[in-house]
Amino acid sequence: RKEVEQDPGPFNVPEGATVAFNCTYSNSASQSFFWYRQDCRKEPKLLMSVYSSGNEDGRFTAQLNRASQYISLLIRDSKLSDSATYLCVVTGRGSTLGRLYFGRGTQLTVWP
Amino acid sequence: ETGVTQSPTHLIKTRGQQVTLRCSSQSGHNTVSWYQQALGQGPQFIFQYYREEENGRGNFPPRFSGLQFPNYSSELNVNALELDDSALYLCASSLKVNYGYTFGSGTRLTVV
């Protein structure tokens, strides 16, 4: 079983739409949670951390449900520039401290 | 402050050959991790170095090896290359283990 499972999509939405991505993780001891964004053929870049209380950064809202081991990302008012692959990431704990476990990514295309 | 730099950016090798990839970590970062990202997949943890010592290894065979130097730069060596080794190799550095990671732009390796 993979550490992090994500729906690969693709998601194709018009500008201005709201889109939600979800992922689940298998290790209940996972310590930290993130969403990364990766543009085509580029390196992943940190989009935002995810906290149990939920957090918002402009048009982006992330949620963590530790009981269900579920992470979500909501993008409101989608822009063309949001087109990218969104990677759900959790970190290890104990002997796997410092490792990032990535989902396979969800591809988003925003069209005009 | 310079970011993480990787070299070369692209590389083509023949099956059975050996390759060395290089990473210069961000200034002040003593922890370096290497990831392999196959097409359509999320990055997979290869190993991590902390202050010149290997500090954790993922599910990769021994023909994947590494080094970290006193200036915290790092090398990834792959022996006896296989076609499945074709991937984007990413280096990430951090101020300390399990702290925020900065990724380099990667080396795209093609094995033919």
Side-chain angles (χ1 to χ4, degrees), chain A residues 81-99:
Chain A
S81 56
D82 294 334
S83 297
T85 296
Y86 291 83
L87 296 159
C88 179
V89 183
V90 305
T91 64
R93 196 178 187 120
S95 62
T96 61
L97 185 70
R99 298 186 194 187

Side-chain angles (χ1 to χ4, degrees), chain B residues 4 6 23-24 32-35 74 89-93 102-104 106:
Chain B
V4 179
Q6 291 187 244
C23 171
S24 292
V32 173
S33 303
W34 286 92
Y35 290 82
S74 178
Y89 288 85
L90 294 160
C91 169
S93 76
T102 303
F103 281 86

Side-chain angles (χ1 to χ4, degrees), chain A residues 26-82:
Chain A
S26 61
N27 187 349
S28 60
S30 295
Q31 188 168 27
S32 303
F33 309 88
F34 307 96
W35 283 99
Y36 275 71
R37 171 195 167 122
Q38 186 171 29
D39 292 296
C40 187
R41 303 179 77 82
K42 301 279 190 180
E43 74 273 23
K45 292 186 177 176
L46 178 65
L47 178 66
M48 59 196 302
S49 301
V50 189
Y51 305 111
S52 298
S53 55
N55 48 300
E56 191 172 302
D57 182 1
R59 298 181 292 109
F60 298 83
T61 301
Q63 290 275 358
L64 166 65
N65 185 322
R66 281 190 182 269
S68 304
Q69 294 176 211
Y70 173 93
I71 305 165
S72 66
L73 176 69
L74 183 76
I75 304 175
R76 293 182 299 279
D77 189 22
S78 298
K79 311 291 184 193
L80 296 177
S81 56
D82 294 334

Side-chain angles (χ1 to χ4, degrees), chain B residues 8-110:
Chain B
T9 54
H10 296 84
L11 202 52
I12 300 175
K13 288 285 192 178
T14 303
R15 192 170 46 180
Q17 284 189 312
Q18 178 266 342
V19 69
T20 297
L21 310 182
R22 295 180 174 82
C23 171
S24 292
S25 58
Q26 188 163 329
S27 178
H29 286 194
N30 59 22
T31 303
V32 173
S33 303
W34 286 92
Y35 290 82
Q36 180 198 65
Q37 187 175 21
L39 198 61
Q41 302 296 319
Q44 298 293 310
F45 176 78
I46 303 175
F47 41 57
Q48 182 180 80
Y49 280 84
Y50 171 65
R51 294 189 173 184
E52 303 178 60
E53 297 286 330
E54 188 179 285
N55 182 45
R57 187 181 182 91
N59 294 325
F60 281 82
R63 60 190 185 82
F64 285 78
S65 63
L67 277 175
Q68 188 179 31
F69 299 100
N71 67 354
Y72 302 136
S73 65
S74 178
E75 285 184 355
L76 164 64
N77 299 291
V78 187
N79 293 323
L81 283 165
E82 300 177 0
L83 298 179
D84 285 348
D85 295 333
S86 295
L88 178 67
Y89 288 85
L90 294 160
C91 169
S93 76
S94 172
L95 202 55
K96 52 185 177 180
V97 175
N98 209 42
Y99 208 65
Y101 291 92
T102 303
F103 281 86
S105 54
T107 294
R108 191 163 298 279
L109 172 66
T110 303

